[in-house]
Amino acid sequence: MNERVLVVIDDGFELSTLVPALRLHEMDIIGEARSESVAMNLLHRLQPDVVLLDMHIAGVSAIKIAINIRKSKPEVGIVILESCSDIRLLGDRNVEIPIGTKVILKRSATDLLILCAAIADSRVSATESHEVSWINGGVSLTENSLHGLLAHLT
């Protein structure tokens, strides 16, 4: 089943390139928003299965938007695109990210298969209350850290 996806990105160029690319990968993009207020309106009107968020939308943290989404629609999958692997530098905290959220580093989002897989898995993560998952390339940041540690030890 193709998930119905609402894309929330405030950068016009990023929105205009990512949405057609996702559609080419057979993602059902049902709406696009460039602000939190429009996103919340479309969330209630269109009833998407997944919301794809840019981390910072016009000065608002996607974490705060994700918290509002999770309160309003707990079963909706949430995927956040992030450019920085340490969100503390941006004034956010990992513990604030709602359970079941997938966070993808933007450099990995250029691999659309990884992004599409995260979108497809996000709804299950939300309904089964999985831990927050950080995705960097084909593996999670935890796996990357472990591989780095093992490389230094051997």
Side-chain angles (χ1 to χ4, degrees):
M1 173 179 120
N2 280 350
E3 285 74 16
R4 297 164 27 89
V5 182
L6 171 61
V7 179
V8 185
I9 298 176
D10 66 342
D11 182 273
F13 177 76
E14 194 174 351
L15 188 64
S16 67
T17 54
L18 185 58
V19 168
L22 289 171
R23 284 188 172 127
L24 284 174
H25 281 79
E26 299 183 5
M27 287 283 132
D28 184 11
I29 308 300
I30 61 168
E32 302 170 24
R34 293 180 65 180
S35 70
E36 178 184 13
S37 59
V38 173
M40 294 308 287
N41 186 357
L42 290 176
L43 176 73
H44 295 291
R45 279 193 1 203
L46 301 176
Q47 302 293 315
D49 299 318
V50 178
V51 177
L52 175 63
L53 293 164
D54 189 23
M55 186 61 174
H56 292 279
I57 299 161
V60 178
S61 170
I63 294 174
K64 290 174 182 44
I65 297 171
I67 290 168
N68 290 334
I69 290 170
R70 186 65 76 227
K71 285 179 186 174
S72 176
K73 306 277 183 189
E75 72 287 350
V76 169
I78 300 172
V79 177
I80 297 176
L81 296 173
E82 172 56 73
S83 56
C84 180
S85 60
D86 190 351
I87 61 173
R88 294 174 298 178
L89 298 172
L90 305 170
D92 289 313
R93 297 180 333 151
N94 196 50
V95 296
E96 296 171 343
I97 301 172
I99 294 293
T101 300
K102 303 263 185 198
V103 182
I104 299 180
L105 292 179
K106 282 190 178 182
R107 64 178 174 256
S108 301
T110 57
D111 184 342
L112 288 173
L113 294 177
I114 293 171
L115 181 56
C116 291
I119 289 170
D121 292 342
S122 67
R123 186 141 190 216
V124 172
S125 293
T127 56
E128 295 179 2
S129 299
H130 291 178
E131 291 294 317
V132 173
S133 173
W134 281 77
I135 301 168
N136 180 15
V139 295
S140 70
L141 285 181
T142 306
E143 291 175 71
N144 276 344
S145 299
L146 180 61
H147 290 298
L149 177 63
L150 290 174
H152 288 298
L153 294 175
T154 57

